[in-house]
Amino acid sequence: MFELIWGLLNGIFLIYFIIICLKSVKLLKEKIGILAALIFVIFLLSLISKSNEKNITEKNIEILNQTNPTKAFDGNSFYNEITLEEHLTSKIGLSIFVGENKTTKALSILNANSNRTGFIFGTNWNAKNIDIDLQKDQNYCNYSVFGILEWKILGFTIYSENKTFKGNALLKE
């Protein structure tokens, strides 16, 4: 519920900021001139279009497979989605891609990533580390996911919340 209120608060601030910018452009045009208003608009557009590479909503973390660095396998593959945290408006999930060797039936982790879906306006999930421990001769694994949930207002981080999720996941039935 708090995430919904935070997102609505961000929306209200964004609309208010746009109204202020429009009034500022009109005032600059009337008082200083059209060139100053044009420079102000270009400056605002450059701030809006600024890319921020470190904040990726869906971060893919490759798992290094020492025995098979090309990740080629001979057999079936399985995809498993685990819900780590679920709220009224959003959820954080872990996706695991598993390969099964055709002859030995041994499972190997091919890929894993963590993402956040739902109404995420004003917050940002950054997965920092995903550890998956595949149990020998078993169809389940132990996982540990560490990430940072950033609470933002108009793109500025107000609070960063560290989150760690641990548990077991069934890979194949």
Side-chain angles (χ1 to χ4, degrees), residues 71-98:
K71 294 187 182 183
F73 66 95
D74 186 22
N76 295 325
S77 62
F78 305 97
Y79 180 77
N80 193 1
E81 180 74 31
I82 301 141
T83 300
L84 300 174
E85 182 179 80
E86 189 167 5
H87 293 288
L88 180 66
T89 59
S90 67
K91 75 174 186 174
I92 298 174
L94 173 66
S95 304
I96 303 174
F97 188 54
V98 182

Side-chain angles (χ1 to χ4, degrees), residues 43-55 155-156:
F43 174 73
L44 284 178
L45 290 176
S46 70
L47 287 179
I48 292 171
S49 65
K50 180 183 111 179
S51 67
N52 198 349
E53 293 293 327
K54 70 176 187 140
N55 294 330
F156 296 105

Side-chain angles (χ1 to χ4, degrees), residues 91-133:
K91 75 174 186 174
I92 298 174
L94 173 66
S95 304
I96 303 174
F97 188 54
V98 182
E100 179 183 41
N101 190 304
K102 194 176 197 178
T103 56
T104 64
K105 301 293 183 193
L107 297 177
S108 62
I109 306 295
L110 300 177
N111 193 0
N113 78 37
S114 178
N115 60 6
R116 188 157 178 254
T117 59
F119 182 71
I120 57 174
F121 191 63
T123 57
N124 190 29
W125 168 249
N126 287 317
K128 296 296 183 187
N129 189 21
I130 299 175
D131 292 324
I132 298 178
D133 183 25

Side-chain angles (χ1 to χ4, degrees), residues 9-81:
L9 182 68
N10 263 289
I12 291 168
F13 282 155
L14 180 64
I15 291 169
Y16 185 65
F17 180 73
I18 290 171
I19 291 170
I20 290 173
C21 287
L22 291 174
K23 288 185 178 183
S24 298
V25 168
K26 182 180 176 186
L27 187 64
L28 278 173
K29 183 180 156 197
E30 291 172 358
K31 297 288 183 181
I32 300 175
I34 196 159
L35 182 62
L38 184 64
I39 291 172
F40 182 71
V41 168
I42 291 172
F43 174 73
L44 284 178
L45 290 176
S46 70
L47 287 179
I48 292 171
S49 65
K50 180 183 111 179
S51 67
N52 198 349
E53 293 293 327
K54 70 176 187 140
N55 294 330
I56 301 171
T57 304
E58 185 174 325
K59 180 175 244 180
N60 192 9
I61 299 175
E62 297 290 328
I63 297 190
L64 181 62
N65 189 346
Q66 297 291 343
T67 59
N68 189 3
T70 61
K71 294 187 182 183
F73 66 95
D74 186 22
N76 295 325
S77 62
F78 305 97
Y79 180 77
N80 193 1
E81 180 74 31

